[in-house]
Amino acid sequence: MSPWLQHLPVMPIVVPLIAGATMLLFAESQRRVREGIALLATLMQLGVAIVLMYLTTDAVPEIWNRGIGVYAISAWPAPYGIVLVVDRLSALMVALSATLALPALFYSVARWERVGVHYLPLLQFLLMGLNGAFLTGDLFNLFVFFEVLLAASYGLVLHGSGVARVKAGLQYIVVNLVASLLFLTGIALIYGVAGTLNMADLGVRWSTIVAADRGLFDAGVAILAIAFLIKAGVWPLNFWLPPAYAAAGAPVAAMFSIMTKVGIYAVVRLSVLLGDAAAPAPLAGSWLFYGGLATLIFGIIGILASQQLARLIGFVIIVSSGTLLTAIGSGAQSLTAPALFYMISSALATGAFFMVTGMTERTRTAPVSDVADVAPMPEVSYRAFDVEDMSEQRVMNEEAGIAIPAAMAFIGLAFVFCVLLVTGLPPLSGFIGKFALVDSIVSAIHAGELAERNWALVVALLASGMAGLIALSRIGVRLFWTVTERTTPRLRVIEAGPVAFLLVLTMVLTASAAPMMAYLQSAAQTLHNPQVYIDAVLAEPMQSSGQSSVQPEVLP
Amino acid sequence: MQLILIVLLPFLGSLCAAFLPSNARNAEAWLAGLVSIACFSLAISLFPQIAAGEVVRVIVPWLPQFGLNFYLRLDGFSWLFAQLITGMGALVVFYARYYMSPADPVPRFFSFLLAFMGAMVGMVLSGNLIQMVVFWELTSLTSFMLIAYWYHRADARRGARMASTITVAGGLCLLAGVVIIGKVAGSYDLDQVLASGDAIRAHEWYPAALILVALGALTKSAQFPFHFWLPHAMAAPTPVSAFLHSATMVKAGVFLLARLWPVLAGTDLWFAVIGGAGLCSLLIGAFAAVFQRDMKGVLAYSTISHLGLITLLLGMNSPLALVAAVFHMMNHATFKASLFMAAGVVDHETGTRDLQRLSGLARSMPITATLATVAAASMAGVPLLNGFLSKEMFFAETIFAGHSPWLRIGLPAAATLAGMFSVAYSLRFVHQVFFGPPPSPDLPRAPHEPTRWMLAPSALLVLACLLVGIMPAQTIGIFLETAARSILGVNMPTFSLAIWHGFNQPLIMSILALGGGVVFYLVLYNQRRRAHGAAPLIDRFDGRRTFDVVIVKLIRTADRIQRLLYSRHLQVQLVIIVCVAVGAGWVALHESFTFWGEVPPSRIDPAFALMWFVGAVCAIGAALQAKYHRLAALIMVGGTGLITCLTFAWFSAPDLALTQIAVEVVTLVLILLGLRWLPRRIEIDDPDRRSLRARVRRARDLVIAVIVGTGMASLAFAIMTRPRVPGLSEFFIDRSLPQGGGSNVVNVILVDFRGFDTFGEITVVGIVALTVFALLRRFRPATESIDVPRAQQHDAPRSLQELPDPNEDLPRGYLEIPAVIVRLLLPMAGLVSVFFLLRGHNSPGGGFVGGLVMATAVIAQYMVAGTMWVESRTRIHPQYWIAAGLLASAAAGMGAWLASQTFLSALAWHFTLPLIGEVHVSSVLLFDIGVYMLVIGATVLMLVAVAHQSLRSHRRPVAVAAATQVHVAEAAASPGATH
Amino acid sequence: MEVVFALAIGVLTGSGIWLVLRPRTFQVIMGLALLSYAINLFIFCMGRLTVGRPPIIRADGATDPLLYADPVPQALVLTAIVISFATTALFLVVMLASRGLTGTDHVDGKERDL
């Protein structure tokens, strides 16, 4: 096979890194260059992701057989070295993050990029972390990439500074630092007992752990799972989420709408590899189910209670996490594909929604009150750091964009679309996702595969849609139709474009639901058949000399 | 093909309409009119097939995996509705052209009107239940936009929200219902669902399905107890009311009930739910209608009652009743629409719809009066009009429907009563508006006849009423026949659409109703027209208020619950997180936890124990002191770090010891630099410390801390007393030297075996440095900490005399000696760091440690010589260092590609240079150099960024620039100064 | 030895947790520092305790794993140290910024209303 195809799996990590680093070589003043690099990098990632998705469909079996690509970093095979594993799911997630990144990038070029320094590099590093987390097949490496994306997300949350952001950012950071400590504890225990860090190898070994050590191993996995669930935004570990997302700038928040999915992704991977049924407490089905249900209900309540749009969307994100976890926890594999479809739709929708919010709430995009009385840095350090002082007014003033006559109409329409998407009302993809979920739940119950308790999920799903409609119509009417109409915001193509892009994507998703669902169904199939994954990862050359499958025994 | 066009055209039209200029009334009207007429005639063209009993189908797969296909299905019944919708649509468009004022932004109106029409047609043509739900919800959403067309009016906004909320909620129930039906029937395909009626009625889920579907239908058709949204939807422009609230949207509910009649009907539950709701709406609607003030209010309530009549008919479980229901759907649409139009005309020409103020308009607007009178007569069920016929059929059904004696008496009685009411309100509607004393002069506009064209639609409808009323069999018969047959199929009853069935019970009931109605009205009228818009008895059941209260309560409760389930306090969050983690660990452990492993613990070395005794004291001391004596706490934490580092050295981990110590130093310096910005805190001036709550909180935290501590300790112990698990380490030790090319296994792991971790790790460091810098550009010190640190204030004057001048070699004064030393230190440190970097592969060291050493040396320069001094000599570009570091390590990784190896694979080149001789270059070294550069860059960037804050903090408004600048440097020179 | 080691981890964790749950940012940062020591030691001891056998291949090139301490946890700890250093630095700065912008050093950005 061609050498470049061979190296494809590592591209989603290397490309953003190089792009981010290269941007640092150009001063903030050379915006166009930086933007060019960022755009190029993001497009490349999107392209790579699409090719990866294509390869995982077994279209070219001679490259990857059975739809799983394994890339051994620094040529050391699993379980010794670190491997990147591309299957349908991970490829999909990479594609999704790139898809969100593109509009976020364009949107931020309009204004956001300039309310602080190093915005674009941070965005690239965030992507690097996301892609790494999705692709890596090694537990500790997963930790490292979590840290990468978290570090970048700290930077992005704080981007633009200001009281609200710093307040929310502080809490966000502390919570995530604690989560990282839990993460490390879990990994340590797992290594101490199972003696491996590679996930596939873990999938082999965990069953052979002697009873005396099983408790320790389970404890490790449990603590690890808590770390994931904190990131997934499970109640009661998700209090950090709404304020942080509400405080972050519109494009940043839009980008974040995929971050909770990383936690869920990790949970799914691990629980599947450890065999859902036998998996330790927090990963076992019923725990996820009830945890997810609690999250879902918490999200619904939050949606009803919140008055501010951005905050409300934060709760919408919580709802979608809850839905996903409940669907996963319900234990019926037929729910996975619809859940994934729902996840894609909601990720795109919340992304678009945050951007629309950014357009409606101009106040959030101009933290004048905070930057007003900042003493600028003395000359000397600007020379030292090559940053010319960007006077705030230049940052704040809206360079006259093309004021489309129907600016408000566009925003209003976009708002309505987003409402339809997040509440899962017809005819957009949100509905398709919810319908598919409800349909498969009911048919599973009808077939006797699922317990009656799953009716609760159906009810919660519909209720969340209703709650969203009530709250959003309230806010929407207040926002667009109250007679005290604020001056119509200038709409810029560069801001409207991304939103339109995302909305069109959801429409495409709606129209071509069948092929997408087919892909997802095969993704779910691969996911729920971990043996394929394990074989693919561990079936590497040099395996013979390895001892990945030895039973733990007392050394002399 | 025609089918797709029928559904598609309206949507395309609405798209076009949206983009026409806002004053193009005629263009809009033409567009909309043509579209609806086109759809109308398309449907007509299909009638021959339908009449032949065929079903026209178009199926396009959409989401076949879940049985969701785009399936259009045209049979007699849906054909009739398609006609109704498109035909009525054309008339309404025509009417709206003259009704809407030139000021209104018509594109929005027509675009949504067409979209609604499309959704409605799609709904009735749906052959797939899910697709039907999709269009169903679309009608709700578009109607929201239409009702709220005049959104500057509060009542319009509220009415729209109420209508959409209720109907959408109903739609969601409907979704659940049809999913259940689909699952039981095995498909969402309407044909199959209709085929498997018995299976569904027999299934245990039937009640649930029935209730859910009923909820959908009753909310949509404004049936009791959800009827209250309809009167408030009257805030919509009158054409909208004529179209949505008489002819089409409210008919959707009864349409659905009729559509699923073969599947769900035929049980007592059906009779109870549907029939019951229908009966209640019939009576309540009719009764309330009598007392309305607003013309449209009367019509709204009468619509409720007429739809109740239809629902009741559907609930009666008899085929003939179904026929009557279908018949009345059509009749009601015709006369009610024309009445709405009349009301609109009156409103348009007089400026009010208030029955109290209007009277005697017949003089000034005779045509309108005539049309309205005929339509109203039809509504009242006067013979020779279509309303009469269906009402007769209804009466006939009521007599035969009841099983129990109660029903035998009660149902006909109720029907007659409702009939009386309907006569009464029809009479009142006409009499008070058009007859009686001449119109009072205080009307907003002088009443006069509108343009002929505005009356034309209404006239057409009235004509239809007459034709159908006089010769039903010839006009409507065949259509009604096909429609009913398409629903009932084989058990289609024989019915006769004659005006005269002989002198039978239904006729008596009609006469009673007419007579009673007139009497009832006269009674009311003679009581000085005391109809004040509030109906007696049922007045206090105000649906709208209940709705608002419910919504507000919902939000309030949500808010209250959220307060319980949510906290914005970080401490609470952390407590929860820690507890959950402990709990999870416990749950996993408590079944099988053997504390003691096989391996006996090794002998305790007193020195080590003593060392950790000190360490523990330091840790606890730090815990106690951190609030009031920060410096002390910091030092103690540093001590703990030192002991940790010794521990690493003790247990044969030299690399860790080295790194730990280096990191210690840098962290310490950073925090020292930061300390001065924190507020002073003295033990005494802290009120809440002694409070009970604080005590409780501390006790709680203490318990948690102890639990977690013991937990971790026992976990660690349990692991340590177990044998080492064979796995990775053997492999690494085996290959470190031969294949990794280094004897320091840890370092080989870091740069080769698991180099990717390091790769990510340095990225983290880089990112953090950038973030720190970005954040500190916006740094704003708290006002009280802007002054010179208190520690320096006493010697401030002295320091002001001896200002280090950037241009002299050495800062004078008490910093002179340190300056010399530190400056000598710099090259040394550089040397050491490079040494570490190079030897790292074979013995403790490596790029990271080297970088930290170098960075420390640099920051030392800052500390003694001062920022100005350093930066006036060197130009440091930390972010370039970071970039270079990242790129170097990436390059080291990608270099492997050239040798077609995977990313980060180690490559080595041997070559000989002149003079130098044998040279051994490895990509690993390049990687480590990358780490080295990045660490220098990142660390310096962070340290310097923090240090720089003291520069900005001293810019006092009064101070002279020069003086400030120098003073600044001095302040920066002693960042360690704290209270 | 193991006992002392375990106790050390316990004490560090305990005081770290106690500090992290305090209301003042400085206490929290101190707590995080202590906790990261504890976790590093914890990861370290997953390779079990070995005295005087650093994982540096001897001159004779003997590769019997029993001659060396387990290198893997050491490598992990190294990465962990670096990352916790970075995050501590970040948190320090955010803490300063928050103190500057909100005027208080309470973790909630405002004094808790008693």
Side-chain angles (χ1 to χ4, degrees), chain B residues 166-243:
Chain B
I166 292 171
T167 50
V168 168
L172 288 172
C173 298
L174 178 64
L175 175 64
V178 295
V179 168
I180 291 176
I181 292 179
K183 283 307 138 195
V184 177
S187 160
Y188 296 120
D189 185 338
L190 190 56
D191 305 290
Q192 187 168 338
V193 169
L194 292 177
S196 52
D198 300 328
I200 292 169
R201 277 189 294 270
H203 196 277
E204 55 170 341
W205 288 356
Y206 167 73
L210 171 57
I211 301 294
L212 288 168
V213 172
L215 280 173
L218 297 182
T219 46
K220 197 81 168 175
S221 282
Q223 291 299 287
F224 177 85
F226 311 107
H227 56 280
F228 52 86
W229 67 262
L230 186 55
H232 295 279
M234 289 301 138
T238 305
V240 173
S241 312
F243 192 37

Side-chain angles (χ1 to χ4, degrees), chain A residues 39-76:
Chain A
L39 178 59
L40 186 69
T42 320
L43 285 174
M44 275 177 74
Q45 289 168 64
L46 191 55
V48 169
I50 290 167
V51 178
L52 286 178
M53 278 178 81
Y54 174 69
L55 287 178
T56 52
T57 56
D58 268 347
V60 226
E62 61 274 13
I63 295 187
W64 297 340
N65 102 50
R66 306 180 69 183
I68 294 188
V70 179
Y71 186 83
I73 297 285
S74 56
W76 296 106

Side-chain angles (χ1 to χ4, degrees), chain B residues 252-585:
Chain B
V254 285
F255 170 86
L256 180 74
L257 290 179
R259 188 87 271 190
L260 294 177
W261 196 84
V263 183
L264 297 175
T267 63
D268 294 344
L269 185 60
W270 169 270
F271 178 73
V273 174
I274 305 301
L279 184 62
C280 297
S281 329
L282 173 66
L283 289 169
I284 294 176
F287 182 65
V290 178
F291 299 90
Q292 297 305 310
R293 275 181 73 152
D294 179 358
M295 290 174 78
K296 285 177 81 174
V298 177
L299 296 179
Y301 276 102
S302 89
T303 305
I304 292 172
S305 106
H306 278 272
L307 287 167
L309 186 152
I310 298 171
T311 316
L312 179 54
L313 277 169
L314 290 170
M316 285 175 179
N317 289 332
S318 95
L320 211 50
L322 181 96
V323 178
V326 175
F327 190 25
H328 197 70
M329 290 180 200
M330 297 300 130
N331 297 338
H332 173 258
T334 41
F335 61 68
K336 187 54 63 71
S338 73
L339 280 172
F340 267 114
M341 290 177 178
V345 169
V346 171
D347 187 11
H348 197 260
E349 302 307 329
T350 67
T352 177
R353 299 193 310 245
D354 186 343
L355 288 171
Q356 306 291 57
R357 300 173 62 186
L358 293 165
S359 75
L361 293 182
R363 297 176 184 72
S364 49
M365 33 206 322
I367 307 175
T368 319
T370 331
L371 294 174
T373 317
V374 179
S378 167
M379 173 161 74
V382 176
L384 295 188
L385 290 166
N386 58 357
F388 172 72
L389 298 171
S390 39
K391 183 165 288 190
E392 285 285 290
M393 292 167 101
F394 166 62
F395 285 157
E397 285 308 310
T398 55
I399 297 162
F400 308 116
H403 319 293
S404 65
W406 279 105
L407 286 174
R408 285 194 165 290
I409 312 301
L411 219 46
T416 325
L417 189 63
M420 285 165 57
F421 289 145
S422 69
V423 172
Y425 63 67
S426 312
L427 201 56
R428 174 157 174 263
F429 183 86
V430 176
H431 182 254
Q432 283 194 1
V433 174
F434 296 104
F435 302 98
S440 52
D442 66 341
L443 288 177
R445 298 192 203 102
H448 61 84
E449 201 67 77
T451 101
R452 297 267 176 283
W453 292 115
M454 194 168 181
L455 292 171
S458 152
L460 271 175
L461 290 168
V462 170
L463 187 65
C465 293
L466 282 163
L467 284 177
V468 174
I470 295 164
M471 35 179 160
Q474 296 78 344
T475 49
I476 192 80
I478 165 78
F479 305 123
L480 188 55
E481 166 81 23
T482 33
R485 185 176 298 285
S486 72
I487 300 174
L488 294 167
V490 288
N491 49 14
M492 174 75 188
T494 53
F495 65 93
S496 76
L497 285 176
I499 305 170
W500 180 252
H501 288 102
F503 193 77
N504 52 9
Q505 280 159 302
L507 190 57
I508 298 171
M509 290 164 72
S510 302
I511 295 165
L512 276 178
L514 279 172
V518 175
V519 173
F520 182 52
Y521 174 63
L522 291 178
V523 172
L524 278 181
Y525 186 68
N526 296 341
Q527 291 174 350
R528 288 171 283 91
R529 308 173 61 172
R530 58 165 286 276
H532 45 60
L537 306 172
I538 64 163
D539 176 34
R540 68 180 71 84
F541 310 115
D542 181 349
R544 184 183 66 70
R545 208 180 303 124
T546 338
F547 175 82
D548 292 348
V549 170
V550 166
I551 291 290
V552 171
K553 273 238 169 14
L554 194 66
I555 289 165
R556 288 242 181 81
T557 343
D559 199 35
R560 210 169 292 115
I561 300 174
Q562 197 193 22
R563 286 215 194 80
L564 298 178
L565 298 183
Y566 176 84
S567 165
R568 47 175 190 75
H569 294 301
L570 181 64
Q571 292 155 271
V572 181
Q573 296 187 46
L574 290 176
V575 168
I576 295 175
I577 289 175
V578 172
C579 291
V580 169
V582 171

Side-chain angles (χ1 to χ4, degrees), chain A residues 198-212:
Chain A
N198 178 289
M199 294 196 220
D201 195 23
L202 211 57
V204 176
R205 288 186 178 216
W206 77 276
S207 51
T208 66
I209 291 166
V210 293

